[in-house]
């Protein structure tokens, strides 16, 4: 694994959650519908080889069939890789139904300060020893400003600790919105990452990249740029496509230039493997 880096406060792990097995993608939805085991198996294999730490599995597009479809995905992916899974569902009943099938402790995506999700999923995570993604949102607020993001992050930390979840198993997602419709989304997320990491030593921050570029041309360029900026502010986990060579290259370069890759050894290794574009 390439994800352990030297940081001023100690060792920080840059986790890569591989995002491709998500039913919101047309090719994945079609493969699930057709029960194309080979297609899903290959998606798990290529993301594993590309350097993922968790393989995300999501069947949320199949309303009323999510549990059945997710169980099918889990069976195939666990047969294709030894990596732990990221179980991607906001539904506590879905989480409860699939947890017994898992070979390794998962990352659960996600809880929030909404009572149904917090009270339904957090105890399951603690019982299983799972890590959790916590979204900066409540019933009243989907955090957009720096202040909202940091306040809700603090509430998530308090709730996690009260439930017995160690802080190093909490990954806070400050919520990314498209800069095409919310020009201040980028700066708000970047500052929130910085403040969350400073205020809560031991906690992690995570985000998906693709929302930032929605509605814009050359979306991958925006995604890469945002990733490097977020790394500079302390981001230590990311939901991304590790098979994208330019995105992976930006990740490696970003870690090197902010001194989270001691003597640039991981960057050099990636170069020698032909993985930098």
């Amino acid at each position: 694994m390439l994800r352990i880096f030297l940081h001023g406060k100690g060792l920080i792990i840059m986790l890569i959650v591989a995002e491709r097995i998500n039913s919101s993608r047309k090719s994945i939805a079609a493969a699930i519908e057709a029960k194309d085991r080979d297609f899903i198996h290959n998606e798990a294999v290529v993301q594993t080889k590309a350097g993922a730490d968790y393989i995300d599995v999501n069947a949320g597009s199949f309303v009323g069939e999510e549990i059945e479809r997710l169980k099918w995905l889990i069976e195939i992916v666990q047969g294709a890789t030894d990596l732990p899974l990221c179980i991607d569902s906001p539904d506590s009943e879905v989480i409860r139904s699939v947890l017994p099938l898992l070979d390794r402790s998962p990352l659960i995506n996600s809880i929030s300060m909404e009572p149904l999700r917090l009270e339904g999923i957090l105890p399951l995570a603690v019982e299983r020893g799972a890590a959790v993604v916590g979204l900066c949102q409540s019933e009243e607020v989907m955090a957009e400003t720096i202040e909202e993001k940091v306040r809700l992050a603090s509430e998530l930390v308090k709730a996690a600790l009260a439930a017995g979840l160690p802080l190093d198993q909490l990954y806070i997602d400050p919520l990314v919105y498209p800069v095409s419709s919310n020009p201040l989304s980028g700066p708000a997320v970047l500052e929130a990452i910085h403040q969350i990491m400073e205020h809560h030593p031991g906690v992690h921050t995570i985000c998906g990249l693709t929302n930032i570029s929605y509605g814009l041309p050359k979306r991958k360029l925006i995604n890469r740029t945002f990733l490097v900026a977020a790394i500079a502010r302390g981001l230590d986990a990311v939901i991304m496509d590790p098979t994208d060579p330019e995105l992976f290259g930006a990740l490696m370069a970003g870690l090197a230039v902010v001194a989270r890759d001691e003597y640039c050894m991981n960057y050099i290794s990636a170069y020698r493997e032909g993985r930098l574009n």
Side-chain angles (χ1 to χ4, degrees):
M1 291 295 176
L2 297 175
R3 251 66 56 199
I4 298 179
F5 302 97
L6 188 67
H7 186 269
K9 293 186 176 179
L11 288 175
I12 298 291
I13 299 175
M14 172 58 77
L15 283 179
I16 296 177
V17 179
E19 69 180 7
R20 292 175 60 88
I21 304 178
N22 189 308
S23 61
S24 65
R25 298 180 63 222
K26 291 181 180 180
S27 60
I28 296 297
I32 295 172
E33 187 68 50
K35 295 192 173 180
D36 188 340
R37 301 178 67 92
D38 289 343
F39 187 90
I40 300 298
H41 184 279
N42 183 66
E43 286 284 351
V45 169
V46 297
Q47 291 185 105
T48 299
K49 291 180 178 178
D53 296 293
Y54 285 88
I55 304 294
D56 187 84
V57 284
N58 175 296
S61 297
F62 291 88
V63 179
E65 302 177 8
E66 184 180 2
I67 292 175
E68 174 190 348
R69 302 288 190 168
L70 191 55
K71 287 181 175 180
W72 182 80
L73 285 176
I74 288 169
E75 176 195 353
I76 296 168
V77 174
Q78 287 193 146
T81 180
D82 291 330
L83 293 179
L85 305 188
C86 174
I87 305 302
D88 190 353
S89 175
D91 189 328
S92 61
E93 288 307 308
V94 172
I95 302 296
R96 188 186 304 276
S97 296
V98 304
L99 278 177
L101 304 178
L102 301 177
D103 295 336
R104 297 189 179 193
S105 291
L107 175 63
I108 297 175
N109 185 9
S110 56
I111 64 169
S112 70
M113 288 307 298
E114 297 163 288
L116 279 178
R117 292 173 72 169
L118 187 69
E119 297 165 10
I121 296 175
L122 188 54
L124 296 176
V126 173
E127 179 182 335
R128 181 58 191 253
V132 179
V133 173
L135 306 180
C136 289
Q137 68 182 58
S138 66
E139 286 186 314
E140 297 79 24
V141 175
M142 292 187 65
E144 293 192 47
T145 67
I146 297 167
E147 293 75 19
E148 289 171 342
K149 295 176 190 295
V150 173
R151 175 177 60 81
L152 284 166
S154 296
E155 292 180 13
L156 285 164
V157 166
K158 183 178 180 180
L161 290 175
L165 184 79
L167 274 192
D168 64 0
Q169 290 183 256
L170 177 61
Y171 290 77
I172 294 179
D173 184 341
L175 299 184
V176 176
Y177 299 98
V179 292
S180 58
S181 58
N182 184 343
L184 296 179
S185 176
V189 171
L190 297 176
E191 180 58 25
I193 289 169
H194 172 69
Q195 291 192 28
I196 291 165
M197 299 294 273
E198 286 291 311
H199 295 167
H200 305 289
V203 80
H204 303 283
T205 47
I206 188 169
C207 68
L209 300 176
T210 55
N211 274 359
I212 196 74
S213 61
Y214 185 79
L216 293 173
K218 297 287 186 181
R219 292 187 63 183
K220 290 185 177 183
L221 176 58
I222 298 290
N223 296 341
R224 293 195 300 272
T225 303
F226 178 69
L227 174 59
V228 173
I231 288 170
R233 300 299 278 167
L235 186 78
D236 63 356
V238 61
I239 302 168
M240 62 175 272
D241 178 1
T243 70
D244 180 338
E246 292 183 332
L247 185 59
F248 185 82
L251 172 64
M252 292 291 100
L255 291 165
V257 299
V258 298
R260 286 168 61 185
D261 180 1
E262 191 172 15
Y263 298 108
C264 302
M265 295 304 297
N266 293 317
Y267 180 87
I268 292 167
S269 293
Y271 169 75
R272 288 174 175 167
E273 294 166 4
R275 302 194 61 204
L276 299 184
N277 274 12

